[in-house]
Amino acid sequence: MTARRTIPTIQHRTVDVDGVRIAYRESGPADGPVLLLLHGFPTASHQFARLMDALGDTAHRLIAPDYPGFGRTEAPAGFTYTFDRLADTVEGFTDALGLGRYALYVFDFGAPVGLRLAARRPERVTGLIVQNGNAYEEGLSDAAREFAGLRREVPGNEERIRGLFTLEAPASSTRPASPTPA
């Protein structure tokens, strides 16, 4: 007879950090080694739901927060969207949960956030899993830098952001440039 695998229970919780009510998903034993899952753009902790299903019956405690303005975490008025500020918030999140040591799984947008945590408190980080992430701002394209600087309160920016979520946007951003004649 084959043992039946059970799908772990994923808890949906919130914690307050410096005026930000951070929503997060958690599974696994409370005393297990922590794997902190930092999502990419434009997702949230739901990006890791299947991973948490697959790994949740291990001995690890899996924690996936939503950044301010992503998923179920609301950004307070005037929140500054920089990688430094997101790292401040996630660092406060780890403090609020009492996470003394953790491995980081960083994806895309999560890389500059998580790598800042690792640089600030290297004694806390037991390992890094990096997927599709830049470790430096210089690696961002001009278009990515411009996008990161958009603010909702500026007229026209919301429409520009929404334009990125059309079928045409990914094709136009990955189209190779025309070759330059020699």
Side-chain angles (χ1 to χ4, degrees):
M1 180 154 176
T2 305
R4 227 181 152 139
R5 184 180 172 279
T6 59
I7 295 177
T9 302
I10 297 176
Q11 302 293 320
H12 296 264
R13 299 187 167 131
T14 60
V15 65
D16 290 319
V17 175
D18 298 327
V20 179
R21 188 164 190 80
I22 299 176
Y24 66 100
R25 296 166 193 253
E26 180 175 3
S27 70
D31 61 347
V34 175
L35 179 58
L36 185 61
L37 306 164
L38 300 181
H39 65 81
F41 176 84
T43 64
S45 63
H46 66 83
Q47 171 183 340
F48 296 111
R50 294 282 188 208
L51 180 65
M52 293 176 88
D53 286 345
L55 298 178
D57 62 353
T58 67
H60 289 80
R61 180 179 178 194
L62 307 172
I63 301 172
D66 292 340
Y67 307 132
F70 292 77
R72 294 186 181 136
T73 298
E74 291 186 20
F79 186 86
T80 304
Y81 287 95
T82 64
F83 289 128
D84 285 330
R85 182 67 177 109
L86 292 172
D88 293 343
T89 302
V90 174
E91 185 175 19
F93 172 79
T94 64
D95 291 343
L97 266 56
L99 306 180
R101 294 181 51 80
Y102 46 83
L104 286 166
Y105 178 111
V106 296
F107 176 81
D108 181 59
F109 211 75
V113 175
L115 294 175
R116 280 170 169 75
L117 293 180
R120 292 175 184 180
R121 294 184 168 175
E123 72 283 357
R124 287 188 171 193
V125 179
T126 60
L128 289 169
I129 302 166
V130 180
Q131 181 181 356
N132 190 36
N134 286 343
Y136 49 91
E137 287 186 23
E138 291 79 12
L140 296 175
S141 68
D142 290 340
R145 273 185 234 265
E146 180 183 347
F147 173 76
L150 295 177
R151 301 293 177 259
R152 180 186 298 162
E153 60 274 6
V154 175
N157 279 355
E158 187 168 346
E159 291 77 22
R160 289 181 67 195
I161 292 168
R162 288 185 186 280
L164 293 173
F165 299 99
T166 64
L167 292 175
E168 296 79 22
S172 67
S173 67
T174 58
R175 189 174 299 132
S178 300
T180 306

